[in-house]
Amino acid sequence: MNESVMSKTPRQIVQELDQYIIGQSTAKKSVAVALRNRFRRMQLEETMQQEVTPKNMLMIGPTGVGKTEIARRLAKIVNAPFVKVEATKFTEVGYVGRDVESMVRDLVEASIKIVEKEQHSKVYSRAVKKADERLVKLLVPGIKKEKKQASGNQFEAMMQMFNTMQQPAEEEKEEVTESIKTSRAAIKEQLEKGLLDQREVTIEVEEAKSPAPMMNNGLEQMGIDLGDTLSALTPKKKVKRTVTVKEAREILLEEESEKLVNKADLNSQAIQMAEANGIIFIDEFDKITSKSQQSGEVSREGVQRDILPIVEGSQVTTKYGTIQTDHILFVASGAFHLSKPSDLIPELQGRFPIRVELEDLTADDFVKILTEPNNALIKQYIALLGTENIDVTFTIEAIERIANIAYQVNQETDNIGARRLHTILEKLLEDLLFEAPDMQMGEITITENYVDEKLAHIVNDEDLSRYIL
């Protein structure tokens, strides 16, 4: 990971989280410290590095208060491999379902994507040159030479057929006249200027892999991808696609980048990154306590016992190599309405030493959520309606009324936190979103009266409120 990214101070990390998440200062401070400790660990001597393990965190709080968003934004800030999993999706060994080790394999996949992007950026200029050369040849093809007729010798004929299969279509021998050379030079110049972006071209690409059927648990536990194994044994099938020059350039650029990158180095680097900087976010952690157990369910305590060795530190086999989980940061979260953290098995409790309780959101928090973050909901709806040439503004009184309604409905029905704002805004603007394409008006102001007119009768009717908001 880039050191300048890793070396952000806890205060800087909190400031960046503040741009997207309102409140929850305690939780933000805790995750910022956990992240800074990773940087501190990397400054230690190697023997000491191995001894310092991450302080895993347990976030406790109702749905919609920002638990997932904190972890997700954190991973984006530091460009670290990150996966979010739900504890309820796992079953203990011996039952049909996902085994807990799959979360680590998913983390390695996320790490592969990050490292791949970094490696591709390093070979970008060379890949562009090669991709452009291939594209120019497709746009101005040479004169294909006639293939030599096979002799009567069967062995020679077989070898010729094998060589033809191995040789990429664009590398087939061709004759290039002076006229073709001149045309290619002109096309190359137009291509670099972007003048041909919308022109169509037919290219041959590798057929997209269809998703493999659910593998049997035994293979998944060994880190074997049956689809990849079978595709390696069979020749890669090419299909023709007619796309724009711009799309073709991107496809060929990806292919050329793949050729220039050393896969073994990439895989090794990705595993190292996942080991040192990976973050696994386990949601619905409270649902695997024995108190949440319902009759007929797979033993939740068994899932806890399977998660334990991964959190403690163990080796997991993946198709890219073996990964050690000792220094992966685990962040678990749950509402813990029907259970409490002490209902987890003692060994697992001890592996999540940092406990952070997130606060319920107030009406004032809802006002800030609607207006302050970079991706604030009000800003999103203004932008969406702006695409229909309608300029929408919300008065501060209207925003405060929306926030109060959200808070009130959360108190009287289920508390779903900030997610209530999505439902209320969609209902509030439903007619406007429907009529927008046919409206002639350029400006619309959403006032407190408008909010009451659209929502007050629903809020006051408890049955309607429960089902609509």
Side-chain angles (χ1 to χ4, degrees):
M1 188 186 291
N2 189 318
E3 190 169 293
S4 63
V5 175
M6 274 189 73
S7 58
K8 285 184 178 177
T9 66
R11 193 180 301 280
Q12 288 171 332
I13 292 166
V14 169
Q15 284 171 353
E16 291 202 38
L17 289 172
D18 284 341
Q19 294 175 28
Y20 299 96
I21 302 149
I22 296 299
Q24 312 304 357
S25 56
T26 307
K28 289 176 187 171
K29 191 184 289 186
S30 296
V31 295
V33 168
L35 200 69
R36 180 66 181 185
N37 281 341
R38 294 189 144 197
F39 170 72
R40 291 168 178 148
R41 173 181 163 264
M42 299 308 287
Q43 313 310 307
L44 302 174
E45 292 179 6
E46 196 171 332
T47 50
M48 181 66 82
Q49 276 186 31
Q50 297 307 313
E51 296 300 319
V52 178
T53 55
K55 303 299 181 283
N56 298 321
M57 192 179 309
L58 181 59
M59 291 190 193
I60 303 158
T63 184
V65 295
K67 301 188 297 292
T68 308
E69 191 67 7
I70 286 172
R72 190 168 66 87
R73 290 290 173 187
L74 190 71
K76 284 189 176 180
I77 287 169
V78 297
N79 194 30
F82 171 81
V83 292
K84 175 185 179 289
V85 296
E86 291 177 9
T88 50
K89 294 282 167 65
F90 300 110
T91 61
E92 65 177 303
V93 173
Y95 289 83
V96 174
R98 292 204 84 188
D99 75 287
V100 292
E101 288 186 352
S102 64
M103 69 173 83
V104 181
R105 296 194 190 98
D106 291 344
L107 183 73
V108 175
E109 291 286 354
S111 188
I112 287 281
K113 286 186 174 68
I114 293 172
V115 176
E116 205 171 55
K117 192 174 178 182
E118 287 175 2
Q119 296 283 1
H120 284 192
S121 67
K122 288 177 184 175
V123 299
Y124 180 78
S125 55
R126 283 190 289 157
V128 165
K129 188 178 176 184
K130 287 179 175 290
D132 284 356
E133 282 173 6
R134 285 176 61 185
L135 198 47
V136 167
K137 285 182 182 180
L138 284 168
L139 292 166
V140 186
I143 301 163
K144 287 185 182 177
K145 291 187 176 180
E146 288 186 18
K147 291 179 183 176
K148 191 171 71 173
Q149 292 294 321
S151 65
N153 187 323
Q154 287 185 343
F155 178 74
E156 192 179 329
M158 187 171 69
M159 286 304 294
Q160 188 177 330
M161 185 176 73
F162 178 76
N163 288 334
T164 305
M165 284 174 64
Q166 292 293 98
Q167 192 177 37
E170 65 270 14
E171 290 180 12
E172 285 179 8
K173 289 183 179 178
E174 58 179 16
E175 186 184 336
V176 180
T177 63
E178 284 301 318
S179 170
I180 291 171
K181 280 182 184 176
T182 307
S183 296
R184 283 182 176 177
I187 286 289
K188 187 172 185 294
E189 192 177 334
Q190 291 177 46
L191 183 65
E192 287 169 354
K193 290 179 180 176
L195 301 175
L196 305 174
D197 282 359
Q198 300 311 311
R199 182 170 159 182
E200 288 195 337
V201 62
T202 301
I203 61 170
E204 279 193 347
V205 295
E206 284 181 23
E207 191 174 35
K209 279 199 301 184
S210 54
M214 269 293 286
M215 292 187 296
N216 106 9
N217 270 354
L219 289 176
E220 188 176 10
Q221 285 171 24
M222 290 186 288
I224 296 171
D225 188 328
L226 199 57
D228 279 0
T229 307
L230 292 173
S231 65
L233 297 172
T234 55
K236 289 176 181 175
K237 191 177 177 184
K238 294 270 189 179
V239 291
K240 286 190 176 181
R241 282 184 61 195
T242 301
V243 293
T244 62
V245 166
K246 188 177 181 179
E247 289 173 309
R249 201 179 189 198
E250 287 171 6
I251 293 166
L252 296 177
L253 176 60
E254 187 69 22
E255 281 187 15
E256 292 302 327
S257 298
E258 288 282 335
K259 291 176 190 174
L260 292 167
V261 166
N262 185 316
K263 279 288 182 186
D265 288 347
L266 189 151
N267 294 349
S268 173
Q269 193 180 332
I271 284 177
Q272 286 174 20
M273 178 184 262
E275 284 179 340
N277 304 311
I279 301 171
I280 294 181
F281 182 84
I282 310 173
D283 205 1
E284 297 186 350
F285 210 59
D286 54 324
K287 303 294 193 302
I288 57 171
T289 61
S290 53
K291 281 205 173 179
S292 68
Q293 182 82 32
Q294 293 179 11
S295 59
E297 280 189 326
V298 174
S299 165
R300 294 304 186 194
E301 195 169 301
V303 176
Q304 290 184 58
R305 294 200 180 280
D306 286 347
I307 288 175
L308 183 61
I310 292 175
V311 179
E312 282 182 330
S314 60
Q315 287 191 336
V316 175
T317 306
T318 76
K319 64 181 179 180
Y320 304 104
T322 303
I323 178 172
Q324 193 76 30
T325 66
D326 298 64
H327 296 102
I328 293 171
L329 176 65
F330 290 88
V331 181
S333 86
F336 288 95
H337 286 316
L338 305 173
S339 57
K340 50 190 183 295
S342 58
D343 292 326
L344 294 163
I345 60 173
E347 300 94 323
L348 199 56
Q349 287 181 50
R351 288 294 161 182
F352 287 88
I354 301 176
R355 307 283 170 86
V356 182
E357 191 162 352
L358 282 85
E359 303 146 6
D360 284 350
L361 297 171
T362 64
D364 287 341
D365 288 331
F366 284 148
V367 171
K368 292 175 183 174
I369 288 166
L370 286 169
T371 55
E372 289 183 11
N374 289 353
N375 60 340
L377 278 174
I378 293 285
K379 295 174 187 174
Q380 290 178 28
Y381 279 100
I382 288 172
L384 285 170
L385 286 161
T387 63
E388 306 280 6
N389 296 319
I390 293 176
D391 184 13
V392 180
T393 53
F394 287 76
T395 66
I396 187 60
E397 293 79 14
I399 291 169
E400 286 171 353
R401 183 73 182 116
I402 293 165
N404 282 317
I405 288 172
Y407 180 76
Q408 183 185 337
V409 175
N410 271 352
Q411 295 301 305
E412 292 172 359
T413 60
D414 294 317
N415 185 358
I416 60 170
R419 293 190 178 96
R420 183 72 66 190
L421 294 170
H422 290 266
T423 314
I424 286 173
L425 273 173
E426 197 66 29
K427 191 66 188 171
L428 172 68
L429 301 173
E430 186 178 42
D431 292 338
L432 184 55
L433 289 163
F434 181 83
E435 299 288 351
D438 306 313
M439 291 172 68
Q440 301 301 315
M441 286 183 281
E443 296 180 8
I444 291 176
T445 302
I446 305 294
T447 62
E448 186 179 4
N449 286 338
Y450 183 89
V451 175
D452 282 332
E453 184 188 322
K454 294 288 181 183
L455 300 178
H457 70 287
I458 301 175
V459 176
N460 295 330
D461 187 323
E462 196 174 323
D463 290 333
L464 275 178
S465 180
R466 186 176 296 275
Y467 291 107
I468 295 176
L469 298 181

